[in-house]
Amino acid sequence: MQKVLVTGGCGYIGAHTIVDLINHGFEVVSVDSNIRSTTQLLEGVEKITGKKVRNYKVDLCNLEDTHAVFHENRDIVGVIHFAALKSVGESVNDPLYYFQNNITSLVNVLKCIKEFNVPNFVFSSSCSVYGNTTALPVVEETPLGEAQSPYARTKQMGEQIIEDYSRVNNTQSILLRYFNPVGAHSSALIGELPLGKPDNLVPVITQVAIGKLPKLTVFGTNYPTRDGSCIRDYIHVMDIANAHTKALQYLLEKRNTDNCEVLNLGTGNGVTVLEAIRAFEKVSGVKLNYELGEARPGDVIAIYANNSKAREKLGWTPETGIEDSMRTAWQWEVALRDRVLNN
Ligand code: NAD
Ligand code: WQD
C-alpha cells in the first residue's frame, strides 16, 4: 500500500480527501495541530472507511516536530498540503499571523520533503490568486491580479515558493486552485465544521435554515449580473477530494509534463447567490429567511473556472451540481443537530 502524508487532515477538505484516498487504496497519515479543528472529522472518516487514520498533533511551524513526523514516515510517496489558516477577514486584521502560519508551515514542509527525498507534492491553492479578474471563465494562464487580502497573498506566495523549489529539486508538484468548495460526504458523517460564526455562503445558508443564525444577508444586489448578485463556482467537496487522488496518481505514474503544474478545480458553471439560495430551498423544502443587503467590501463580481486542463490531464470530471451540493450540505447540518439532540 502506498502511504500519503496529508497535512490539515482534520479539516474540511483534508478529511474528505482522506476518504477518497483510502477508497482508492492509499494508506494515510495526517498532521494537524487542530488550531482550527478537532479530531471529530477523522472519527467520521473511520466510520465511513473502516480505517483509523493517525493524526500527529503537530504545529507545522515547528520544524523539529515536523521533522520528527517525516522521520517516522520515511516511506511516504507524497505529501498533500492542506494545512493553513483560511479566513479572509481575519487575515486582513492580522496579516502577520497569516504570513507566519501559512508561509512558515509551507517552508518547513518543503525542507522535510527535500531532506527525505519525497517525490510528490500537492498544494491547496485558491481561485483568490486571480484577484479581481474580468477574463471569464478563468484559465490557469490568466495573469494573477493584485491579491485582495493577506490570505490570498499567502496563496500567491505559496505557489511561487513551490514553483521555485520544484525547479531545482527532485520533487514533482501540482498546485490545485479551488474555486468555492461546498457540500459534504453523502453519508453525512463528515462535512464543513466552521468554528464560530461562518463567513462562507453555504454554511451561513444551512445555519440560518436550522435556526443557529437568525438571517442571511445577500451581499449586493446591484452587480451587473443576471439577477444583480455575485457569481461564483460552487464545487462539491468530494469532487475536489477526488481531484487530489487523481493528481497524486498522475504524479506517481509520471504523466506530468512539468515539475510544477497548476490546475483549476471548479465546475465551470457560475451560480449567483440568489440561485444558490433557490437551489437550497428547493432541495431542503425550507424557506430561507434572507434579506437583500449592501455589497461586502472586497468581493469580486463574478468568477468561475475553465476546468479543461484538470479534465484533460487528470481525467477528472466534477460530478455534483449545485442542487446535490446543497442537499448534502443540508443533510450534514441536520445530522449535526441530531447528534446534539441525541447527546
Ligand atoms: P480547514 O480550516 O477546515 O482545515 C485546515 C486545517 O489545517 C485545520 O484543521 C487546521 O487546524 C490545520 N492547520 C492550520 N495551520 C496549521 C499548522 N500550522 N500546523 C498544523 N495544522 C494546521 O480548511 P479547509 O477548508 O479544509 O481548507 C484546506 C486548504 O484549502 C487550506 O489551505 C485553504 O486555504 C485551502 N482552500 C480552502 C477553500 C475553502 O473555501 N474551504 C478554498 C480554496 C482553498
Ligand atoms: C460567496 C458569495 C458573497 C455570505 C472565499 C474566499 C476564497 C475561497 C473561497 C479560500 C459571495 C455571498 C456570502 C453571506 C452572501 N477560500 N455571501 N452572504 O468570498 O467567494 O470566497 O471562500 O481560498 O479565497 O475569498 O466565498 O462563501 O464567502 O461568498 O451574500 O452571508 O456569497 O458575497 O458573493 P468567496 P463566500
Side-chain angles (χ1 to χ4, degrees):
M1 237 191 206
Q2 291 176 307
K3 196 203 274 186
V4 187
L5 192 149
V6 168
T7 74
C10 299
Y12 173 45
I13 306 173
H16 287 81
T17 301
I18 292 176
V19 169
D20 198 72
L21 287 166
I22 291 174
N23 286 342
H24 286 85
F26 287 97
E27 183 189 345
V28 181
V29 286
S30 164
V31 187
D32 195 311
S33 62
N34 292 141
I35 188 166
R36 290 296 148 93
S37 55
T38 63
T39 50
Q40 182 180 332
L41 295 185
L42 282 191
E43 288 156 23
V45 169
E46 186 178 350
K47 285 189 190 135
I48 296 168
T49 63
K51 297 258 162 52
K52 193 168 181 62
V53 173
R54 170 156 190 203
N55 182 59
Y56 292 85
K57 194 170 173 182
V58 159
D59 181 350
L60 294 162
C61 294
N62 181 320
L63 181 58
E64 210 177 305
D65 291 352
T66 305
H67 187 274
V69 175
F70 276 79
H71 191 266
E72 229 180 279
N73 294 278
R74 288 164 169 270
D75 50 342
I76 54 173
V77 297
V79 172
I80 306 183
H81 184 51
F82 294 102
L85 299 171
K86 64 162 183 181
S87 164
V88 171
E90 186 184 40
S91 80
V92 171
N93 292 325
D94 197 350
L96 292 185
Y97 183 40
Y98 271 65
F99 292 126
Q100 164 67 22
N101 188 74
N102 292 0
I103 303 300
T104 307
S105 55
L106 171 64
V107 170
N108 283 348
V109 167
L110 289 173
K111 280 182 179 168
C112 294
I113 282 180
K114 180 175 166 145
E115 181 173 338
F116 292 98
N117 269 317
V118 181
N120 302 303
F121 184 61
V122 180
F123 177 66
S124 295
S125 190
S126 158
C127 67
S128 61
V129 299
Y130 292 113
N132 239 323
T133 184
T134 48
L136 295 173
V138 189
V139 292
E140 290 81 352
E141 292 73 24
T142 304
L144 302 191
E146 167 85 16
Q148 297 298 299
S149 66
Y151 164 75
R153 211 179 297 282
T154 68
K155 291 299 176 189
Q156 290 184 340
M157 292 164 76
E159 287 197 356
Q160 284 160 9
I161 290 167
I162 297 160
E163 270 169 32
D164 287 345
Y165 171 83
S166 307
R167 205 169 293 135
V168 290
N169 288 281
N170 290 327
T171 311
Q172 308 296 308
S173 302
I174 294 201
L175 316 176
L176 296 176
R177 291 179 180 157
Y178 318 153
F179 280 64
N180 288 54
V182 295
H185 188 263
S186 57
S187 64
L189 289 165
I190 56 172
E192 195 166 1
L193 209 51
L195 300 177
K197 191 179 173 299
D199 297 322
N200 294 120
L201 180 65
V202 174
V204 172
I205 288 178
T206 58
Q207 291 199 10
V208 169
I210 207 104
K212 281 188 196 164
L213 293 174
K215 190 186 275 184
L216 169 104
T217 303
V218 176
F219 296 141
T221 49
N222 291 318
Y223 286 108
T225 60
R226 48 188 177 266
D227 62 20
S229 63
C230 289
I231 291 178
R232 295 288 183 275
D233 187 337
Y234 298 97
I235 171 145
H236 195 267
V237 65
M238 287 309 296
D239 283 327
I240 294 259
N242 182 246
H244 289 77
T245 306
K246 288 203 155 66
L248 193 63
Q249 289 167 335
Y250 173 79
L251 293 176
L252 286 165
E253 291 160 15
K254 304 198 185 307
R255 287 187 280 131
N256 54 315
T257 49
D258 199 353
N259 283 0
C260 184
E261 295 188 15
V262 187
L263 300 174
N264 282 341
L265 295 185
T267 63
N269 299 317
V271 170
T272 71
V273 176
L274 292 169
E275 287 165 354
I277 291 173
R278 275 199 293 279
F280 173 80
E281 290 184 327
K282 182 177 166 197
V283 298
S284 67
V286 178
K287 183 92 196 67
L288 202 70
N289 185 22
Y290 72 90
E291 64 181 4
L292 306 181
E294 294 299 309
R296 181 171 67 175
D299 267 342
V300 301
I301 301 167
I303 188 159
Y304 51 96
N306 176 318
N307 61 16
S308 308
K309 222 173 177 176
R311 284 176 181 272
E312 283 158 21
K313 286 190 175 259
L314 305 183
W316 169 77
T317 316
E319 285 173 352
T320 309
I322 186 72
E323 289 189 2
D324 282 329
S325 289
M326 289 297 186
R327 184 176 289 114
T328 57
W330 179 233
Q331 286 165 342
W332 164 245
E333 190 69 64
V334 169
L336 280 177
R337 178 191 60 193
D338 292 349
R339 191 187 296 209
V340 172
L341 291 179
N342 291 333
N343 277 334

